[in-house]
Amino acid sequence: MSAGSISEGAPGSDVWRGLKAGLPVVVASAPFGLLFGALAVDNGFTPFEAFLMSASIYGGASQMVGLDLFGAKIAPWLIVLSIFAVNFRHVLYSGAVGRRIRHWPPLQQAVGFFFLVDPQYAESEVKGQRGEKITFAWYMSMALPIYVCWIAEAWIGGTFGNLIPDPHALGIDFLLPIYFLGLVMDFRDRPFWLPVVATSAIASVIAYKTVGSPWHVTIGAAAGILLAAAMPLDRKPDDPS
Amino acid sequence: MNTVLWVILWGAVFTYAARVGGHLVLSRFHNIHPRVEAGLNAVPAAVLTTLVAPAAIQAGPVELIALVVAGFASLRFGMMTMFLIGAAVLVGLRQVVG
């Protein structure tokens, strides 16, 4: 369908590069995909419902928060609101990546935004910052293996959840922060990286202790972003448009 | 419809709205103000930090050591190596400390 629209460079190498960018994410997210499925069934979901949640929401942290609240028996609309709060950062991802995929046809953009999860965003920004064009072939080659594995893991985890002998010994509960730290470090060449990270870290911890989860994500991020926006503009980054 | 399906489907609708909405709003502006641009450039580090910092504050010594080692590893190595080093330190120390 998209043979005509993949014009820049060699599409084959774009596919290859996309697959390569996605592979670490497939490996790193596998424990969480499985864990999500297992926890979902533990919270009264059927394996199909776990699969459906991974397939339609496709956002690990928000899925975990949703499960957590479901177990806590709070009002359904509040669970939806919390899922939205955790995923609200995607508004910012969308605005940033949207600038880089303006050359895609609208339908491809509509499809692409569905797959805009944290690592997909991070890799797109890293690639865009290098001055490389984000092609649909590259983007989907990265996105699809991650997505397919993610939804398969939810189903497998839901079906065979009790087979994980000791999640704590395997460190499953703390792999996510390590992974996110790696992504943070990847952006250390950006202007004002250190003040932004320090501000967001402090603000998110304060929000976590006062307002509570999941709002610490939105509040902490806003603090760092506002700081960057308020900084002197003398070091103007190159305008991509 | 049962409550689980209701929550999943509305959660999905709102999540997709967030993923498409930022672009729909920003693409209406022809010239992006430099301060908005500077803010957007700070988004990834800012957001991802909020997923690390509270976890780090609450972490025990084993988790903190793994995180710090992984942080230093990221100065030298790529994402995958850094992640594997952090995970190895975490799992290794937990076998010892429990």
Side-chain angles (χ1 to χ4, degrees):
Chain A
M1 141 211 143
S2 55
S5 57
I6 303 164
S7 48
E8 307 84 18
S13 69
D14 262 1
V15 170
W16 174 239
R17 279 196 213 105
L19 290 172
K20 238 174 84 180
L23 183 65
V25 185
V26 169
V27 176
S29 62
F32 309 109
L34 293 168
L35 185 68
F36 167 76
L39 289 176
V41 171
D42 209 45
N43 276 277
F45 285 42
T46 65
F48 171 75
E49 285 164 345
F51 164 85
L52 187 71
M53 195 176 192
S54 278
S56 63
I57 294 180
Y58 187 41
S62 69
Q63 292 175 221
M64 295 293 193
V65 168
L67 279 188
D68 201 44
L69 296 178
F70 220 91
K73 305 254 185 282
I74 71 166
W77 69 269
L78 263 177
I79 304 178
V80 173
L81 186 69
S82 301
I83 290 171
F84 183 62
V86 175
N87 286 336
F88 188 74
R89 65 186 187 280
H90 293 102
V91 167
L92 304 165
Y93 296 175
S94 170
V97 169
R99 294 179 297 171
R100 304 196 187 278
I101 61 169
R102 279 204 196 109
H103 55 288
W104 294 6
L107 185 63
Q108 289 185 358
Q109 292 188 15
V111 171
F113 282 123
F114 176 82
F115 296 99
L116 192 55
V117 290
D118 303 79
Q120 185 78 37
Y121 164 69
E123 290 290 341
S124 298
E125 280 293 278
V126 168
K127 190 175 169 68
Q129 187 137 319
R130 270 194 237 120
E132 297 171 20
K133 201 156 198 169
I134 312 280
T135 62
F136 190 67
W138 175 85
Y139 189 94
M140 293 308 289
S141 302
M142 177 180 172
L144 283 179
I146 302 172
Y147 181 72
V148 169
C149 291
W150 180 253
I151 61 178
E153 284 149 17
W155 193 80
I156 295 167
T159 311
F160 302 102
N162 348 351
L163 294 185
I164 303 176
D166 185 358
H168 179 79
L170 291 178
I172 282 179
D173 51 299
F174 206 72
L175 291 180
L176 210 50
I178 294 174
Y179 177 75
F180 287 140
L181 176 67
L183 290 178
V184 170
M185 296 300 287
D186 256 0
F187 287 100
R188 64 185 183 277
D189 294 334
R190 295 249 170 138
F192 311 117
W193 177 82
L194 193 57
V196 166
V197 166
T199 305
S200 288
I202 293 165
S204 67
V205 168
I206 292 172
Y208 188 83
K209 302 241 176 201
T210 54
V211 190
S213 181
W215 294 103
H216 66 282
V217 175
T218 307
I219 293 169
I225 293 161
L226 287 175
L227 178 83
M231 284 295 199
L233 288 169
D234 50 2
R235 272 204 286 164
K236 192 179 181 299
D238 317 18
D239 197 340
S241 57
Chain B
M1 194 191 293
N2 78 45
T3 318
V4 172
L5 288 181
W6 189 90
V7 166
I8 290 173
L9 292 182
W10 278 109
V13 168
F14 277 100
T15 299
Y16 185 70
R19 285 183 181 148
V20 90
H23 173 62
L24 290 181
V25 171
L26 283 176
S27 65
R28 292 178 183 280
F29 301 97
H30 230 57
N31 291 312
I32 296 176
H33 191 278
R35 292 209 182 273
V36 176
E37 178 101 26
L40 284 177
N41 277 327
V43 170
V47 173
L48 293 163
T49 298
T50 68
L51 302 176
V52 179
I57 293 287
Q58 288 188 306
V62 166
E63 291 78 16
L64 216 51
I65 290 169
L67 203 60
V68 170
V69 171
F72 278 109
S74 71
L75 296 173
R76 274 205 75 136
F77 306 106
M79 180 71 203
M80 193 65 202
T81 312
M82 167 275 188
F83 179 76
L84 289 177
I85 290 173
V89 170
L90 179 65
V91 174
L93 283 178
R94 275 191 179 173
Q95 306 303 321
V96 181
V97 183

